[in-house]
Amino acid sequence: MRRSRFILLVSPLAATLATLPFAGCSSESFLESNHAVAPDAEVADASDAGKDSEVPDAASDVVDASAPFDAAPIPVQCSGPSCVIALRAGSEHYCATMGDHSVRCWGDTNALPLPADGGGADAAPGKPISLLDVGSVVDLAAAGSGTCVVSSDGAVWCWSDWQRTPATVPDIPVARRVFVGPDGVTRCIFDASSELVCWGESWSLGPGLRQLTWDDGAKPVGVRFGMDVGLVTLSDGRLFSWGYGPQLVHQFAGGGPSQIFGVSDAEVLAVGSGHACARTKAGELSCWGRGANGQLGSGLWRDEVTPTPVALPASIAVVDVSTADVHTCARTTTSDVYCWGGLNARGELGLAAKQGVYVPTRVTLPEGPPVADVVVGNTSSCALRSDGSVLCWGDNTRGQLGRGSRDERRHPEPQVVVFP
């Protein structure tokens, strides 16, 4: 196996190099495990949650990796002012990039920016509000109660529950993409050269502005954060993590990124509060970390310290995946949405019954165009369709469903977000 070194460059001070050989323990690749269930594994039974109703379209087999896989994005065709072209989720709020490259957000008022009209966000709970003018937005990221955007001039604007007014981040390079940690202070960008630059208290990486590079020339292509962990996937498919969370999958916390073994060609990442998932270039999905609520999708309710295949239906492959507290949702090559994990207490899995769901289960969406993306908050879920409409379901106690109101009822039925 090719060895590489991680290099941390501290800026804007004179360049200080810290060469950190990665530390990790190899484990059997899930590609070679034949998707076998461990002999001591207990198979989950949804009736254990106190309900005996049938779960629709529950997975019965793992994905057939030999099937053709096409991860090309589904284009969003905008035809009006309420058209959404990108959607992101925090813990209890959502933000959308609109067709005119403005931004609107809804949900937890503590996480929302002060509205452009100067009014109070609390006056219209659940109503998407417009962002103060930050220019034309080209990228958007959200996690926890924090949100950042990249404007067309490469400036980064951020806000959170402790800074409601969007403000530019000073002294960073011109940005192309932005990534946000749920802790409210850890943020990263891809600069014009696709280098990864981070700032804030990023656990083992320390404070200050930092540039993360790999000395073998590999480029980072994806970054995701949990509360105590960061994950990076590289252009050659290798996957690295750092921090102190259960999603590390290597022996030693701290000391800079260490390689995760068991996923050989990671392309898409998602990190929840205690678990993580990675989708390979072949469309295979594996998850690891905390699994007591079935959020790993393996059919079991136990933790996994190595990437474990998700029990997807045969011939179904994952394009996008999103994770939150104890549930996970994915968009498949069939443009369906599958969700799993937890007891569906708020209807976040799109099922009428409250019951444990430990394998991917298809969400019944209203008739309409294909799903282009799916994102999840802690107790709610939303899907973006190719016509720019957004469907949300689950918890609405903080107006997460974008229906212009908030209430304490369960909402397992997906409904369209109403934009003013």
Side-chain angles (χ1 to χ4, degrees), residues 180-204:
V180 178
D183 58 2
V185 294
T186 304
R187 295 155 181 169
C188 295
I189 61 167
F190 283 159
D191 65 14
S193 300
S194 296
E195 300 294 347
L196 181 61
V197 179
C198 300
W199 65 95
E201 293 289 342
S202 189
W203 310 293
S204 61

Side-chain angles (χ1 to χ4, degrees), residues 82 122 145 150 193 295 342 364:
S82 297
D122 293 332
S145 62
V150 179
S193 300
Q295 59 265 53
T364 301

Side-chain angles (χ1 to χ4, degrees), residues 108-147:
D108 182 9
T109 55
N110 292 321
L112 300 187
L114 293 177
D117 60 8
D122 293 332
K127 179 181 178 180
I129 63 170
S130 298
L131 180 65
L132 289 165
D133 186 16
V134 298
S136 180
V137 169
V138 297
D139 195 40
L140 167 67
S145 62
T147 311

